[in-house]
Every structure is written in structure tokens, then in C-alpha cells.
Amino acid sequence: MRIDLHTHSTRSDGTDAPAALVEAAAAAGLDVVALTDHDVMSGWDDAITAAGSVGITVVPGVEISCERDGRSVHLLGYLVDPADSALLAELDLARSSRATRLTRMVDLLAADGIPITQDHVAAQVPPGATPGRPHVADALVAAGVVPTRDEAFRRWLADDSPYYVRYYAPDPAAAVALVRGAGGVPVLAHPLAARRGVAPTLALVEELAPLGLAGVEADHPDHDAAARRAVRAVARHTGVFVTGSSDYHGTGKPVRIGAECTDPDALAAIEALGTGSAVARP
Ligand code: AMP
Ligand code: ZN
Ligand code: FE
Ligand code: FE
């Protein structure tokens, strides 16, 4: 059974609409795909409807942008109640803060002579999508300034770039409580994807496991073999399960859907714990 539990659609910064993403998952031979857009759950219905016609299983999820010590931390929440008011309020706050922040970043870039306008960026954000740096990158690609998202990130959009602007994001401990409160299953995303060599966020697994963290991503395109081993070691001694996923973004990143997969036992654990919504089987 092939299971990919981390993907992004046009409801955030992926390039496939939710239905197209599910079709791509089926075409790639996946049996199960989770839709985990950044800070939004609006793609679930389209994904589940499409899954019914192509005969694959959808796990509804969300990737919550968190911040700890000035660093971005991502928490996946599976099977949350999509009507949970505390969760919705937090995600609404995050999305509106992201919109303000993107406007500021574009102002800073334009003031420095980088040829970009608010309209160019707005044209790259699908209606209702969670706005993010990849949309700024897309505007620069569309204008012919850079060839790829990746090049835009390297030149102007990285975390340590002078054009980087922060946005409101909860602490990961608060986000774990929020996901649990919404009947969901919190899984720490790509803890070693950012600064390789150091392992600052593995300490988060130790901190968050007693607070209800259920799993951690081990197999991720941004984790090398040593990182994967380190994640598995901390998962073993904290008693959380590990997942593996592509973090597919359509053409936004050079990774295929299903490039990394999750063991069926981890999916079973997610299903046993999650009470806020259900895995959708065809
Ligand atoms: P934001 O949440 O708006 O700060 O943007 C973070 C998003 O940018 C995440 O979804 C990352 O996957 C994406 N991202 C980070 N670096 C790159 C890159 N080099 N190329 C494409 N997307 C990236
Ligand atoms: Zn993304
Ligand atoms: Fe992420
Ligand atoms: Fe992601």
C-alpha cells in the first residue's frame, strides 16, 4: 500500500487544484493521499469528491505554520474537525497576517528595485488560497525575472533574506493543543529540513510528545539519510510514530507525488486517534 501524507494544492502554494492533485496521486499509483494545505482546509471537499471517482483514499489534513525562537516550525494536523471554532479562528488569524506580511515583503522588494508589484503577486494567489512566499516567487517567474521558484527563493526570499517579513504564527505547543482540541492527530513536519547538521527541532519532539504530539516526519525530500535516522531514533524513545511523505507542491518544487511514503501502521495509528473527521475511502 502506497501512502503519501503531505501535499499542497492551489488552496495554498501548490500548483494543482485539489481534484487534480488527487487525480495525480491516483495516476502515480498511490492508494492513499493526505491533503495538507498551509493554514487552510477549504480543499477537502473537492479532494474527497475527486477521490471517489478515481478510487483512492483521502486523509483530510492541514499544515499549521508555527514559530519557535524566530524559526518557522510546521505542524501537520490530520482528521481535525473542520468546524472547530478555536482552530478556525487561529487559521483565520494566520492567513490574514500572511496577507499583510506578503504586502510588506513586496513593498521592500520593489523599494530595492526588484521589478515586482502588488498586482503581479495578487494575480498569482488563487481566490481563497493561503498566500505565501511561493506566490511572490511565481510573480517573479511570470515576469521573467527568474526562471524558477527556487531561484527566487535563493536570491530574495529565503528566511535570512533582508526582504523576509514574519507573520503571526502560534507556538508549536499551542498548535499541538489546538489540533488535539479539534479531535485531530498532530505530526511534526520535516523537523530537520531547515538547517542541516544542527538538530534544534528534534528537541521539540521530546518537548511535544508528552503534550500530545503523535508522530514526526522522518522520510521527507529535505531529509538526508542521517536526518532520517536521527528522527527515527528520537521517535523511538519518545514513543511517537514516524511518517514519510513527498510534501508535493505540483510544479512548485521538483518532487513527484508519492516520492516518499508512510507505513500503513502509522496511518492506522492516525485513524485510531483522530476523531474530528474521517478518512474518506472510495
Ligand atoms: P511562507 O510560509 O510563506 O513563509 O513560505 C514557506 C513556503 O515556501 C513553504 O511551503 C516552502 O515549501 C516554500 N519554499 C521554501 N523554500 C522554497 C524553495 N527554494 N523553492 C520553492 N518553495 C520553497
Ligand atoms: Zn508550501
Ligand atoms: Fe512544511
Ligand atoms: Fe508542506
Side-chain angles (χ1 to χ4, degrees):
M1 185 143 76
R2 296 189 63 221
I3 304 166
D4 187 342
L5 292 183
H6 183 166
T7 69
H8 297 270
S9 77
T10 47
R11 301 305 168 100
S12 62
D13 53 8
T15 61
D16 291 355
L21 182 149
V22 164
E23 285 158 14
L30 287 174
D31 303 288
V32 181
V33 67
L35 180 66
T36 54
D37 276 308
H38 298 286
D39 305 317
V40 79
M41 299 175 284
S42 65
W44 291 9
D45 289 349
D46 285 1
I48 289 166
T49 302
S53 41
V54 293
I56 86 167
T57 294
V58 166
V59 180
V62 60
E63 186 175 20
I64 302 177
S65 312
C66 308
E67 195 187 286
R68 170 64 70 85
D69 299 331
R71 284 195 59 193
S72 190
V73 173
H74 288 176
L75 185 77
L76 294 157
Y78 298 107
L79 305 183
V80 290
D81 175 359
D84 183 84
S85 55
L87 178 61
L88 286 175
E90 195 73 356
L91 297 182
D92 282 350
L93 194 57
R95 289 198 309 276
S96 65
S97 172
R98 278 172 159 281
T100 310
R101 164 272 195 151
L102 222 58
T103 305
R104 291 215 191 101
M105 285 187 68
V106 173
D107 281 342
L108 291 172
L109 288 159
D112 234 13
I114 294 143
I116 192 164
T117 67
Q118 302 292 350
D119 286 350
H120 287 149
V121 176
Q124 298 301 324
V125 185
T130 300
R133 280 180 282 168
H135 298 114
V136 178
D138 289 349
L140 291 161
V141 173
V145 182
V146 285
T148 60
R149 269 189 186 181
D150 193 52
E151 182 66 15
F153 267 87
R154 248 177 304 163
R155 287 173 69 172
W156 300 303
L157 301 176
D159 294 11
D160 57 358
S161 140
Y163 308 110
Y164 184 83
V165 175
R166 287 166 62 190
Y167 54 93
Y168 170 77
D171 184 81
V176 165
L178 211 53
V179 169
R180 283 283 188 174
V185 184
V187 173
L188 187 65
H190 48 69
L192 298 181
R195 290 161 205 182
R196 281 193 204 151
V198 289
T201 55
L202 281 188
L204 263 186
V205 179
E206 319 235 9
E207 176 194 330
L208 298 177
L211 305 180
L213 184 75
V216 59
E217 242 176 18
D219 296 323
H220 183 279
D222 294 346
H223 284 171
D224 62 17
R228 292 168 193 224
R229 279 196 299 273
V231 171
R232 283 196 160 81
V234 79
R236 250 191 318 273
H237 89 256
T238 53
V240 304
F241 59 75
V242 297
T243 63
S245 299
S246 66
D247 203 354
Y248 175 72
H249 279 71
T251 58
K253 278 187 184 174
V255 62
R256 287 171 298 107
I257 198 162
E260 307 279 354
C261 284
T262 292
D263 193 279
D265 290 349
L267 177 59
I270 289 171
E271 230 180 324
L273 272 173
T275 57
S277 57
V279 170
R281 293 204 161 74

